[in-house]
Amino acid sequence: MIYEVFRQERKGQAFAHAGSVEAPNEEFAEAYAREQYGRRGESTALWVVPRQAVHEIDDFADELQKNYHRVDGYPLKEKLGRARELAAKSPGGLSAGAG
Amino acid sequence: MDAREQEFLEYVQGGGQVETDDWMPDEYRARLIKFIEMHGNSELMGVLPEREWILRAPTLQRKLALTAKVQDEVGHSQLIYRVVEDLGKPREQCLDDLISGKSKFHNVFHYPTKTWGDVGLIAWLVDAAAIISQKALLKCSYAPYARIMKKICWEESFHILHGRDVILTMMLGTDQQRELVQEALDRWWGPLMQFHGNPIARDEDPMYVWRIKSQGNEEARQQFLDGYVPQIWELGLTVPDPTLRKRDDGAWEYTEPDWDELKHVVTGHGPKTAERLELRRTTREENAWVRRAVLAEAA
Protein backbone atom coordinates (compact mmCIF):
# COMPACT_ATOMS: atom_id res chain seq x y z
CA MET A 1 0.00 0.00 0.00
CA ILE A 2 1.24 3.48 -0.90
CA TYR A 3 1.01 6.34 1.58
CA GLU A 4 1.60 9.94 0.54
CA VAL A 5 3.65 12.02 2.97
CA PHE A 6 3.14 15.73 3.48
CA ARG A 7 5.50 17.67 5.69
CA GLN A 8 5.40 20.97 7.51
CA GLU A 9 8.78 22.61 7.77
CA ARG A 10 7.95 25.19 10.43
CA LYS A 11 4.96 25.74 12.65
CA GLY A 12 2.32 27.84 10.92
CA GLN A 13 3.48 26.92 7.42
CA ALA A 14 1.45 24.97 4.90
CA PHE A 15 1.99 21.23 4.60
CA ALA A 16 3.66 20.39 1.30
CA HIS A 17 3.86 17.06 -0.49
CA ALA A 18 7.25 15.47 0.19
CA GLY A 19 7.06 11.99 -1.31
CA SER A 20 5.56 8.61 -0.64
CA VAL A 21 6.32 5.42 1.28
CA GLU A 22 5.21 1.87 0.67
CA ALA A 23 4.06 0.05 3.78
CA PRO A 24 1.89 -2.93 4.62
CA ASN A 25 -0.15 -0.97 7.19
CA GLU A 26 -0.51 2.37 8.93
CA GLU A 27 1.87 1.54 11.74
CA PHE A 28 4.71 0.76 9.34
CA ALA A 29 3.78 3.74 7.18
CA GLU A 30 4.20 5.99 10.21
CA ALA A 31 7.54 4.44 11.11
CA TYR A 32 8.86 4.78 7.54
CA ALA A 33 7.60 8.36 7.22
CA ARG A 34 9.32 9.30 10.50
CA GLU A 35 12.57 7.75 9.26
CA GLN A 36 12.46 9.33 5.83
CA TYR A 37 11.12 12.78 6.59
CA GLY A 38 11.54 13.52 10.28
CA ARG A 39 14.62 12.05 11.86
CA ARG A 40 16.85 15.13 11.48
CA GLY A 41 14.32 17.60 12.87
CA GLU A 42 13.61 18.85 9.34
CA SER A 43 9.83 18.70 9.86
CA THR A 44 7.59 19.97 12.66
CA ALA A 45 4.78 17.63 11.61
CA LEU A 46 3.89 15.05 8.97
CA TRP A 47 0.61 13.99 7.39
CA VAL A 48 0.62 10.37 6.28
CA VAL A 49 -2.31 9.65 3.98
CA PRO A 50 -3.26 6.50 2.06
CA ARG A 51 -2.91 7.36 -1.63
CA GLN A 52 -6.53 6.37 -2.38
CA ALA A 53 -7.73 8.87 0.22
CA VAL A 54 -6.33 11.77 -1.79
CA HIS A 55 -8.99 13.09 -4.14
CA GLU A 56 -7.49 15.18 -6.86
CA ILE A 57 -9.50 17.84 -8.65
CA ASP A 58 -7.74 19.49 -11.54
CA ASP A 59 -10.49 20.67 -13.89
CA PHE A 60 -11.79 24.11 -13.09
CA ALA A 61 -14.55 25.46 -15.31
CA ASP A 62 -14.54 29.14 -16.18
CA GLU A 63 -17.23 29.18 -18.87
CA LEU A 64 -18.44 32.65 -17.95
CA GLN A 65 -14.87 33.99 -17.69
CA LYS A 66 -15.61 35.21 -14.23
CA ASN A 67 -12.61 37.46 -14.01
CA TYR A 68 -14.48 40.09 -11.99
CA HIS A 69 -13.52 38.23 -8.80
CA ARG A 70 -9.83 38.01 -9.66
CA VAL A 71 -6.98 40.47 -9.75
CA ASP A 72 -6.43 39.84 -13.46
CA GLY A 73 -9.95 41.12 -14.14
CA TYR A 74 -8.76 44.64 -13.43
CA PRO A 75 -6.07 45.74 -15.89
CA LEU A 76 -6.04 49.39 -14.92
CA LYS A 77 -2.97 50.58 -16.77
CA GLU A 78 -4.62 51.67 -19.99
CA LYS A 79 -7.58 53.34 -18.26
CA LEU A 80 -5.30 55.11 -15.82
CA GLY A 81 -3.22 56.47 -18.71
CA ARG A 82 -6.29 57.85 -20.39
CA ALA A 83 -7.56 59.36 -17.13
CA ARG A 84 -4.23 61.10 -16.57
CA GLU A 85 -4.24 62.47 -20.11
CA LEU A 86 -7.74 63.79 -19.66
CA ALA A 87 -6.89 65.42 -16.35
CA ALA A 88 -3.87 67.11 -17.92
CA LYS A 89 -6.00 68.56 -20.73
CA SER A 90 -8.46 70.21 -18.35
CA PRO A 91 -6.38 72.12 -15.80
CA GLY A 92 -9.52 73.85 -14.55
CA GLY A 93 -10.51 70.92 -12.38
CA LEU A 94 -13.01 68.11 -12.44
CA SER A 95 -15.97 69.99 -13.90
CA ALA A 96 -15.45 68.68 -17.48
CA GLY A 97 -15.06 65.00 -16.62
CA ALA A 98 -16.03 62.09 -18.81
CA GLY A 99 -18.24 59.11 -17.92
CA MET B 1 7.07 11.86 -33.11
CA ASP B 2 3.32 12.44 -33.21
CA ALA B 3 1.57 15.71 -32.40
CA ARG B 4 0.85 14.72 -28.81
CA GLU B 5 4.49 13.85 -28.16
CA GLN B 6 5.62 17.06 -29.81
CA GLU B 7 3.28 19.04 -27.58
CA PHE B 8 4.64 17.22 -24.52
CA LEU B 9 8.22 17.93 -25.58
CA GLU B 10 7.47 21.63 -25.99
CA TYR B 11 5.74 21.64 -22.62
CA VAL B 12 8.76 20.22 -20.74
CA GLN B 13 11.20 22.35 -22.73
CA GLY B 14 9.20 25.40 -21.67
CA GLY B 15 9.80 24.48 -18.02
CA GLY B 16 6.60 22.45 -17.56
CA GLN B 17 6.56 19.66 -14.99
CA VAL B 18 4.85 16.29 -15.12
CA GLU B 19 3.12 14.30 -12.36
CA THR B 20 2.80 10.52 -11.98
CA ASP B 21 -0.72 10.24 -13.39
CA ASP B 22 -0.17 12.59 -16.34
CA TRP B 23 0.11 11.18 -19.83
CA MET B 24 3.74 10.92 -20.99
CA PRO B 25 5.44 9.52 -24.12
CA ASP B 26 6.76 5.95 -23.78
CA GLU B 27 10.28 7.10 -24.55
CA TYR B 28 10.14 9.70 -21.76
CA ARG B 29 8.90 7.11 -19.27
CA ALA B 30 11.55 4.57 -20.30
CA ARG B 31 14.35 7.15 -19.99
CA LEU B 32 13.08 8.31 -16.61
CA ILE B 33 12.97 4.75 -15.29
CA LYS B 34 16.48 3.93 -16.52
CA PHE B 35 17.99 7.15 -15.19
CA ILE B 36 16.24 7.23 -11.83
CA GLU B 37 16.81 3.51 -11.29
CA MET B 38 20.53 4.00 -11.88
CA HIS B 39 20.48 6.80 -9.32
CA GLY B 40 18.76 4.50 -6.81
CA ASN B 41 21.28 1.74 -7.52
CA SER B 42 24.13 4.18 -7.00
CA GLU B 43 22.85 5.29 -3.61
CA LEU B 44 22.51 1.68 -2.55
CA MET B 45 25.90 0.57 -3.89
CA GLY B 46 27.54 3.82 -2.74
CA VAL B 47 27.22 2.83 0.90
CA LEU B 48 29.38 -0.26 0.46
CA PRO B 49 32.79 1.45 0.11
CA GLU B 50 31.99 3.44 3.28
CA ARG B 51 30.44 0.54 5.15
CA GLU B 52 33.79 -1.22 4.94
CA TRP B 53 35.24 1.56 7.08
CA ILE B 54 32.69 1.90 9.87
CA LEU B 55 34.57 -0.49 12.15
CA ARG B 56 37.95 0.94 11.14
CA ALA B 57 37.07 4.63 11.50
CA PRO B 58 39.58 6.37 13.81
CA THR B 59 37.19 7.74 16.47
CA LEU B 60 33.73 7.04 17.85
CA GLN B 61 32.52 10.36 16.40
CA ARG B 62 33.69 9.29 12.94
CA LYS B 63 32.06 5.87 13.27
CA LEU B 64 28.76 7.52 14.17
CA ALA B 65 28.99 10.04 11.34
CA LEU B 66 29.80 7.30 8.83
CA THR B 67 26.93 5.17 10.09
CA ALA B 68 24.55 8.13 9.80
CA LYS B 69 25.74 8.73 6.27
CA VAL B 70 25.21 5.11 5.30
CA GLN B 71 21.71 5.31 6.75
CA ASP B 72 21.03 8.47 4.72
CA GLU B 73 22.19 6.94 1.45
CA VAL B 74 20.10 3.80 1.92
CA GLY B 75 17.16 6.08 2.72
CA HIS B 76 17.79 7.94 -0.54
CA SER B 77 17.72 4.70 -2.48
CA GLN B 78 14.37 3.84 -0.88
CA LEU B 79 12.89 7.20 -1.87
CA ILE B 80 14.26 6.90 -5.37
CA TYR B 81 13.07 3.32 -5.96
CA ARG B 82 9.63 4.50 -4.77
CA VAL B 83 9.60 7.02 -7.62
CA VAL B 84 10.67 4.28 -10.06
CA GLU B 85 7.86 2.03 -8.79
CA ASP B 86 5.27 4.72 -9.51
CA LEU B 87 6.62 4.89 -13.05
CA GLY B 88 5.94 1.19 -13.45
CA LYS B 89 8.99 -0.83 -12.39
CA PRO B 90 8.69 -2.63 -9.03
CA ARG B 91 11.50 -2.35 -6.50
CA GLU B 92 12.05 -6.11 -6.42
CA GLN B 93 12.72 -6.02 -10.14
CA CYS B 94 15.14 -3.11 -9.72
CA LEU B 95 17.06 -5.15 -7.15
CA ASP B 96 17.01 -8.25 -9.37
CA ASP B 97 18.42 -6.25 -12.28
CA LEU B 98 21.05 -4.61 -10.09
CA ILE B 99 22.31 -7.91 -8.71
CA SER B 100 22.29 -9.67 -12.07
CA GLY B 101 24.30 -6.81 -13.59
CA LYS B 102 21.54 -5.86 -16.03
CA SER B 103 21.27 -2.31 -14.69
CA LYS B 104 24.12 0.05 -13.88
CA PHE B 105 25.43 2.17 -11.04
CA HIS B 106 27.89 5.09 -10.93
CA ASN B 107 31.53 4.48 -11.83
CA VAL B 108 32.94 5.76 -8.53
CA PHE B 109 31.31 2.95 -6.54
CA HIS B 110 33.17 0.20 -8.42
CA TYR B 111 36.55 1.08 -6.84
CA PRO B 112 38.18 0.00 -3.57
CA THR B 113 38.61 2.28 -0.56
CA LYS B 114 42.23 1.56 0.32
CA THR B 115 42.83 3.92 3.25
CA TRP B 116 41.01 6.35 5.54
CA GLY B 117 42.25 9.02 3.14
CA ASP B 118 40.03 7.47 0.46
CA VAL B 119 37.04 7.63 2.81
CA GLY B 120 37.56 11.36 3.41
CA LEU B 121 38.16 12.03 -0.25
CA ILE B 122 35.04 10.14 -1.33
CA ALA B 123 32.91 11.90 1.26
CA TRP B 124 34.25 15.26 0.16
CA LEU B 125 34.84 15.17 -3.60
CA VAL B 126 32.69 12.28 -4.82
CA ASP B 127 29.78 13.73 -2.87
CA ALA B 128 30.61 17.18 -4.23
CA ALA B 129 30.52 15.87 -7.80
CA ALA B 130 27.26 14.05 -7.05
CA ILE B 131 25.58 17.06 -5.50
CA ILE B 132 26.28 19.11 -8.63
CA SER B 133 24.32 16.55 -10.67
CA GLN B 134 21.64 16.30 -8.01
CA LYS B 135 21.12 20.04 -7.65
CA ALA B 136 20.50 20.17 -11.40
CA LEU B 137 17.76 17.57 -10.86
CA LEU B 138 15.82 19.94 -8.58
CA LYS B 139 14.47 21.33 -11.86
CA CYS B 140 13.72 17.91 -13.38
CA SER B 141 10.64 17.89 -15.62
CA TYR B 142 9.35 14.89 -13.65
CA ALA B 143 8.07 16.62 -10.52
CA PRO B 144 7.95 13.71 -8.01
CA TYR B 145 11.67 13.11 -8.62
CA ALA B 146 12.45 16.82 -8.30
CA ARG B 147 10.58 16.92 -4.97
CA ILE B 148 12.51 14.09 -3.30
CA MET B 149 15.73 15.58 -4.62
CA LYS B 150 15.12 18.52 -2.28
CA LYS B 151 15.48 16.28 0.74
CA ILE B 152 18.40 14.37 -0.77
CA CYS B 153 20.40 17.53 -1.54
CA TRP B 154 19.77 18.78 1.97
CA GLU B 155 21.33 15.65 3.46
CA GLU B 156 24.20 15.56 0.96
CA SER B 157 25.28 19.02 2.08
CA PHE B 158 26.13 17.66 5.51
CA HIS B 159 27.96 14.72 3.92
CA ILE B 160 30.29 17.07 2.05
CA LEU B 161 31.08 18.98 5.24
CA HIS B 162 31.79 15.71 7.02
CA GLY B 163 34.19 14.72 4.22
CA ARG B 164 35.91 18.06 4.22
CA ASP B 165 36.32 17.86 7.98
CA VAL B 166 37.96 14.43 7.67
CA ILE B 167 40.37 15.80 5.03
CA LEU B 168 41.18 18.98 6.99
CA THR B 169 41.88 16.96 10.12
CA MET B 170 44.31 14.76 8.20
CA MET B 171 45.97 17.75 6.52
CA LEU B 172 46.54 19.24 9.99
CA GLY B 173 48.08 15.97 11.18
CA THR B 174 51.37 14.25 10.39
CA ASP B 175 53.27 14.05 7.08
CA GLN B 176 52.11 10.48 6.82
CA GLN B 177 48.46 11.57 7.08
CA ARG B 178 48.97 14.25 4.42
CA GLU B 179 50.52 11.58 2.19
CA LEU B 180 47.44 9.41 2.61
CA VAL B 181 45.27 12.26 1.37
CA GLN B 182 47.53 12.98 -1.62
CA GLU B 183 47.61 9.27 -2.55
CA ALA B 184 43.83 9.09 -2.32
CA LEU B 185 43.50 12.16 -4.57
CA ASP B 186 45.88 10.54 -7.08
CA ARG B 187 43.73 7.40 -7.12
CA TRP B 188 40.36 9.17 -7.34
CA TRP B 189 41.07 12.00 -9.76
CA GLY B 190 40.56 9.86 -12.86
CA PRO B 191 37.19 8.44 -11.79
CA LEU B 192 36.13 11.92 -10.57
CA MET B 193 36.84 13.45 -13.98
CA GLN B 194 34.86 10.65 -15.65
CA PHE B 195 31.96 10.98 -13.22
CA HIS B 196 29.84 13.51 -15.15
CA GLY B 197 30.11 11.56 -18.39
CA ASN B 198 31.37 12.32 -21.87
CA PRO B 199 31.10 15.91 -23.07
CA ILE B 200 28.12 15.31 -25.37
CA ALA B 201 26.52 18.62 -26.41
CA ARG B 202 23.51 19.14 -24.20
CA ASP B 203 21.10 19.57 -27.09
CA GLU B 204 22.15 16.14 -28.37
CA ASP B 205 21.72 14.54 -24.94
CA PRO B 206 18.21 13.04 -24.77
CA MET B 207 18.27 13.49 -20.99
CA TYR B 208 18.56 17.24 -21.52
CA VAL B 209 16.19 17.31 -24.48
CA TRP B 210 13.44 15.85 -22.26
CA ARG B 211 14.57 18.16 -19.43
CA ILE B 212 15.16 15.24 -17.12
CA LYS B 213 18.56 16.85 -16.55
CA SER B 214 18.79 20.61 -16.59
CA GLN B 215 22.45 20.88 -17.59
CA GLY B 216 24.92 19.19 -19.87
CA ASN B 217 27.70 16.84 -18.74
CA GLU B 218 30.52 19.27 -19.47
CA GLU B 219 28.73 22.11 -17.66
CA ALA B 220 28.56 19.89 -14.58
CA ARG B 221 32.26 18.99 -14.80
CA GLN B 222 33.26 22.65 -15.24
CA GLN B 223 31.17 23.56 -12.22
CA PHE B 224 32.94 20.84 -10.22
CA LEU B 225 36.41 22.04 -11.28
CA ASP B 226 35.51 25.65 -10.60
CA GLY B 227 34.16 24.92 -7.16
CA TYR B 228 36.66 22.38 -5.91
CA VAL B 229 40.08 22.72 -7.58
CA PRO B 230 40.77 25.95 -5.67
CA GLN B 231 39.76 24.18 -2.44
CA ILE B 232 42.14 21.31 -3.25
CA TRP B 233 45.00 23.65 -4.11
CA GLU B 234 44.65 25.81 -1.01
CA LEU B 235 45.38 22.77 1.16
CA GLY B 236 48.71 22.24 -0.62
CA LEU B 237 47.52 19.15 -2.47
CA THR B 238 48.53 18.45 -6.06
CA VAL B 239 45.93 17.54 -8.66
CA PRO B 240 47.47 14.72 -10.70
CA ASP B 241 46.89 16.41 -14.05
CA PRO B 242 49.77 18.65 -15.26
CA THR B 243 47.60 20.22 -17.97
CA LEU B 244 44.88 21.38 -15.57
CA ARG B 245 44.45 25.16 -15.70
CA LYS B 246 41.76 27.80 -15.76
CA ARG B 247 41.74 29.74 -19.01
CA ASP B 248 41.25 33.50 -19.18
CA ASP B 249 37.68 32.95 -20.37
CA GLY B 250 36.93 31.07 -17.15
CA ALA B 251 36.78 27.54 -18.60
CA TRP B 252 38.99 24.77 -17.24
CA GLU B 253 41.38 22.82 -19.44
CA TYR B 254 42.23 19.28 -18.46
CA THR B 255 43.59 16.03 -19.84
CA GLU B 256 40.91 14.05 -21.64
CA PRO B 257 39.39 11.61 -19.13
CA ASP B 258 39.76 7.91 -19.90
CA TRP B 259 36.35 7.19 -21.44
CA ASP B 260 37.28 3.57 -22.15
CA GLU B 261 37.88 3.03 -18.45
CA LEU B 262 34.51 4.59 -17.65
CA LYS B 263 32.72 2.33 -20.09
CA HIS B 264 34.60 -0.75 -18.92
CA VAL B 265 33.87 -0.02 -15.25
CA VAL B 266 30.16 0.83 -15.49
CA THR B 267 29.45 -2.22 -17.61
CA GLY B 268 30.38 -4.33 -14.61
CA HIS B 269 34.16 -4.70 -14.91
CA GLY B 270 35.38 -2.44 -12.12
CA PRO B 271 37.90 -3.75 -9.57
CA LYS B 272 35.19 -4.18 -6.91
CA THR B 273 32.06 -4.71 -9.02
CA ALA B 274 31.69 -8.45 -8.63
CA GLU B 275 32.53 -8.51 -4.92
CA ARG B 276 30.06 -5.73 -4.03
CA LEU B 277 27.24 -7.17 -6.11
CA GLU B 278 27.83 -10.51 -4.44
CA LEU B 279 27.55 -8.84 -1.03
CA ARG B 280 24.28 -7.22 -2.15
CA ARG B 281 23.00 -10.62 -3.25
CA THR B 282 23.87 -12.44 -0.02
CA THR B 283 22.55 -9.70 2.28
CA ARG B 284 19.32 -9.65 0.30
CA GLU B 285 18.96 -13.38 0.84
CA GLU B 286 19.90 -13.14 4.50
CA ASN B 287 17.37 -10.34 5.10
CA ALA B 288 14.52 -11.98 3.21
CA TRP B 289 13.01 -13.22 6.47
CA VAL B 290 12.58 -9.61 7.67
CA ARG B 291 10.51 -8.71 4.63
CA ARG B 292 8.46 -11.87 5.06
CA ALA B 293 7.90 -11.15 8.76
CA VAL B 294 6.81 -7.55 8.12
CA LEU B 295 4.37 -8.57 5.42
CA ALA B 296 3.01 -11.48 7.49
CA GLU B 297 2.48 -9.33 10.55
CA ALA B 298 0.67 -6.70 8.54
CA ALA B 299 -1.55 -9.22 6.76
Side-chain angles (χ1 to χ4, degrees):
Chain A
M1 183 127 138
I2 310 295
Y3 292 82
E4 298 294 346
V5 182
F6 300 81
R7 57 181 281 263
Q8 188 189 42
E9 215 162 274
R10 279 191 296 280
K11 247 190 157 36
Q13 280 194 343
F15 282 71
H17 183 243
S20 59
V21 294
E22 186 181 6
N25 62 25
E26 252 176 47
E27 210 182 334
F28 278 107
E30 187 187 315
Y32 295 155
R34 278 176 189 278
E35 269 307 304
Q36 291 286 13
Y37 294 103
R39 75 175 185 284
R40 285 268 172 71
E42 70 268 45
S43 307
T44 49
L46 300 175
W47 287 346
V48 183
V49 186
R51 179 172 278 180
Q52 307 94 284
V54 179
H55 296 287
E56 181 174 306
I57 300 165
D58 64 357
D59 54 330
F60 302 99
D62 190 18
E63 294 95 342
L64 300 175
Q65 310 213 305
K66 293 191 289 183
N67 63 2
Y68 54 81
H69 64 178
R70 291 196 306 263
V71 168
D72 67 358
Y74 299 90
L76 302 182
K77 203 176 161 194
E78 192 261 344
K79 263 184 210 162
L80 184 63
R82 268 168 45 212
R84 280 177 179 151
E85 261 173 48
L86 188 65
K89 268 188 240 160
S90 47
L94 293 170
S95 55
Chain B
M1 189 175 283
D2 66 26
R4 200 178 184 192
E5 284 178 344
Q6 188 58 38
E7 195 189 334
F8 180 93
L9 186 64
E10 282 164 21
Y11 172 72
V12 293
Q13 289 186 346
Q17 285 190 304
V18 185
E19 292 291 341
T20 309
D21 294 335
D22 294 344
W23 179 85
M24 59 186 86
D26 291 342
E27 187 197 334
Y28 179 74
R29 184 184 295 276
R31 286 195 187 277
L32 273 179
I33 290 176
K34 195 172 168 200
F35 183 84
I36 302 175
E37 180 184 6
M38 188 213 179
H39 186 185
N41 292 344
S42 300
E43 297 279 1
L44 194 59
M45 296 306 288
V47 302
L48 297 182
E50 296 185 305
R51 170 192 171 275
E52 295 164 12
W53 277 88
I54 292 175
L55 293 176
R56 288 183 281 171
T59 66
L60 178 60
Q61 177 77 14
R62 294 290 191 219
K63 286 185 214 296
L64 291 170
L66 214 50
T67 311
K69 211 188 140 185
V70 165
Q71 186 190 21
D72 284 353
E73 311 284 17
V74 173
H76 298 170
S77 76
Q78 287 176 344
L79 292 172
I80 294 167
Y81 284 141
R82 186 78 277 296
V83 171
V84 177
E85 279 192 305
D86 276 348
L87 285 165
K89 182 164 182 177
R91 183 162 66 178
E92 286 301 306
Q93 204 186 326
C94 294
L95 293 172
D96 285 344
D97 289 351
L98 170 65
I99 289 165
S100 72
K102 200 176 155 197
S103 59
K104 296 191 176 92
F105 57 99
H106 266 306
N107 71 318
V108 284
F109 305 124
H110 293 259
Y111 292 89
T113 30
K114 287 213 169 80
T115 71
W116 180 246
D118 293 62
V119 179
L121 205 93
I122 292 170
W124 180 30
L125 294 180
V126 171
D127 280 37
I131 207 170
I132 286 169
S133 308
Q134 292 178 340
K135 277 206 170 136
L137 293 170
L138 290 168
K139 287 182 269 179
C140 178
S141 57
Y142 187 60
Y145 188 42
R147 283 197 291 270
I148 60 161
M149 210 50 63
K150 223 176 119 184
K151 175 211 156 78
I152 291 176
C153 286
W154 182 69
E155 287 185 350
E156 296 287 358
S157 319
F158 124 76
H159 297 171
I160 294 184
L161 286 181
H162 157 252
R164 207 169 172 206
D165 189 57
V166 169
I167 293 295
L168 287 177
T169 306
M170 292 182 82
M171 293 308 287
L172 291 169
T174 62
D175 284 346
Q176 202 190 353
Q177 282 176 298
R178 279 185 284 274
E179 267 168 42
L180 286 183
V181 176
Q182 182 62 56
E183 284 166 16
L185 181 62
D186 294 346
R187 274 195 285 279
W188 285 90
W189 189 253
L192 274 168
M193 288 301 284
Q194 298 158 14
F195 182 83
H196 290 109
N198 66 339
I200 180 176
R202 69 180 198 180
D203 291 313
E204 286 163 29
D205 184 349
M207 302 309 293
Y208 179 77
V209 170
W210 290 109
R211 295 301 186 273
I212 294 169
K213 296 199 303 196
S214 64
Q215 67 182 4
N217 293 350
E218 186 57 23
E219 280 171 81
R221 187 164 26 249
Q222 288 289 334
Q223 210 183 321
F224 171 74
L225 292 168
D226 218 36
Y228 292 90
V229 170
Q231 290 188 24
I232 295 169
W233 281 343
E234 74 180 359
L235 298 180
L237 293 163
T238 307
V239 176
D241 178 357
T243 68
L244 183 73
R245 70 178 191 101
K246 192 174 182 172
R247 289 200 312 245
D248 292 340
D249 65 1
W252 288 84
E253 271 179 18
Y254 51 84
T255 303
E256 190 70 18
D258 186 344
W259 303 121
D260 291 336
E261 178 185 340
L262 177 67
K263 200 174 169 200
H264 186 69
V265 163
V266 295
T267 50
H269 307 94
K272 283 280 184 180
T273 315
E275 186 187 316
R276 289 192 180 138
L277 286 179
E278 179 57 19
L279 181 66
R280 245 323 136 228
R281 193 184 64 74
T282 49
T283 47
R284 190 171 174 225
E285 276 171 16
E286 284 163 10
N287 296 336
W289 70 270
V290 179
R291 288 188 292 278
R292 281 197 301 273
V294 167
L295 292 172
E297 181 174 323

